[in-house]
Amino acid sequence: MDANGSDAIGRAVEALRCARAVVAITGAGMSAESGVPTFRGSGGLWRTFRPEDLATPRAFARDPALVWEWYLWRRGRIAAARPNAGHVALAQMERRFAAFTLLTQNVDGLHLDAGSRNLVELHGNIWRARCTEEPRRVFDQRGDTPGEELPRCPCGALLRPDVVWFGEPLDPVALDRAAAAVRACDVLLVIGTSAVVYPVASLPSLARHGQALVVEINVDETPLTSEADIVVRGPSGAILPQLERLL
Ligand code: BV8
């Protein structure tokens, strides 16, 4: 693990300058400076519920109205948010490397809004809804005004947020793409994630079994910190533009 501060930034820039393939994994901390609440950090979410209590199929089966209320409230917070300088820096980095893949756990769509294209939304996207009977029927609800009734598919079945809940598998194609990119990369940036949600939290060790150098960018310590080669302590909205400018 590296000393913090400018030395860490210098070493991260040096590693990136030599890299052909770079992967970035992002979590809720990436959007904190856009005003989107994180899950487990201070400030927290609207209710004292844990995501594990609301973001599950069982919670939806038990009380779909409560789960939709939570997601509609989150959509309201996200609709007011704009990509911050960290999102923009990652979109610019995409054009600087022969291979750059952005893997996000975030469902807020802010990486897309910032212009990132080689992007894998591993936990889905809050602006989409899908049919509970025909999962391939997906609807973009960005800009929709929620009605009084719970949203339903033309087939009559309830719609649900098109995100991955706890206890649900990630899309195997997306996960394979993520694992392949991580295995092949020279530098893995792990940004704004508490690194406790699996299987995404297992990706950094996959990178280290390859030849990758792991750089953690976070305001706090996480279970990954002791495993990272370089630890840059600070807000991603400030650190990422600094890294991008120095490349
Ligand atoms: C699955 C829904 C299997 C969308 C979310 C081992 C292996 C496999 C699974 C498990 C396992 N152990 C346990 C499990 C089960 C579970 C799990 O990991 N539980 C945890 C809690 C222990 N995993 C699952 O259930 C996964 N499914 O494995 O299925 C399977 C296989 C076959 C068949 C059936 C089943 C599904 C995981 C996805 C769950 N869905 N959300 C939504 O509503 O958003 S996860 C939820 O947490 C969000 O998606 C969020 O993105 C994610 C991770 O949180 P973070 O992004 O890290 O955010 P957090 O607030 O925690 O941390 C923010 C960080 O940012 C902090 O470190 C903070 O310091 C930092 N920060 C703050 N500000 C800044 C900053 N950093 C930089 N700059 C700043 N300004």
Side-chain angles (χ1 to χ4, degrees):
M1 189 175 86
D2 192 71
N4 293 338
S6 57
D7 176 46
I9 294 254
R11 281 199 61 205
V13 169
E14 192 186 318
L16 286 167
R17 280 180 180 158
C18 308
R20 193 197 63 79
V22 174
V23 172
I25 295 176
T26 63
M30 188 74 217
S31 299
E33 290 155 274
S34 296
V36 180
T38 61
F39 289 91
R40 299 168 187 86
S42 59
L45 277 171
W46 164 47
R47 293 194 167 188
T48 54
F49 285 87
R50 299 179 316 137
E52 293 82 353
D53 296 338
L54 265 180
T56 67
R58 189 196 306 259
F60 187 76
R62 186 176 58 237
D63 190 345
L66 174 66
V67 173
W68 264 116
E69 186 184 354
W70 186 52
Y71 276 90
L72 291 178
W73 175 81
R74 288 176 62 197
R75 281 184 179 176
R77 290 296 299 263
I78 291 164
R82 293 291 169 268
N84 61 57
H87 293 102
V88 173
L90 284 181
Q92 288 164 342
M93 273 192 201
E94 185 169 326
R95 296 185 275 277
R96 283 183 172 274
F97 296 97
F100 184 93
T101 307
L102 176 50
L103 311 174
T104 190
Q105 300 171 92
N106 298 341
V107 297
D108 57 30
L110 290 178
H111 284 304
L112 277 171
D113 294 348
S116 288
R117 286 298 168 262
N118 202 0
L119 168 68
V120 186
E121 293 182 313
L122 289 166
H123 291 168
N125 186 300
I126 201 167
W127 292 110
R128 292 194 307 263
R130 69 171 191 261
C131 178
T132 50
E133 294 297 327
E134 308 159 283
R136 291 186 187 286
R137 286 190 80 171
V138 178
F139 303 85
D140 184 342
Q141 295 188 323
R142 191 188 277 254
D144 289 7
T145 308
E148 287 302 310
E149 301 297 317
L150 290 177
R152 289 190 178 274
C153 174
C155 79
L158 271 180
L159 293 180
R160 55 162 282 179
D162 188 24
V163 298
V164 181
W165 282 330
F166 287 100
E168 293 185 320
L170 277 63
D171 171 65
V173 173
L175 199 50
D176 288 349
R177 184 177 163 199
V182 164
R183 279 197 195 92
C185 74
D186 303 306
V187 174
L188 174 67
L189 304 173
V190 185
I191 308 159
T193 180
S194 56
V196 296
V197 175
Y198 287 81
V200 173
S202 61
L203 292 176
S205 61
L206 206 56
R208 290 179 55 71
H209 284 111
Q211 75 283 353
L213 196 111
V214 175
V215 181
E216 181 181 54
I217 299 170
N218 200 310
V219 292
D220 284 336
E221 210 165 290
T222 74
L224 176 66
T225 304
S226 58
E227 303 295 312
D229 299 288
I230 300 176
V231 176
V232 186
R233 184 72 66 243
S236 49
I239 302 287
L240 288 170
Q242 204 179 342
L243 289 179
E244 203 279 330
R245 272 196 303 275
L246 293 168
L247 285 182

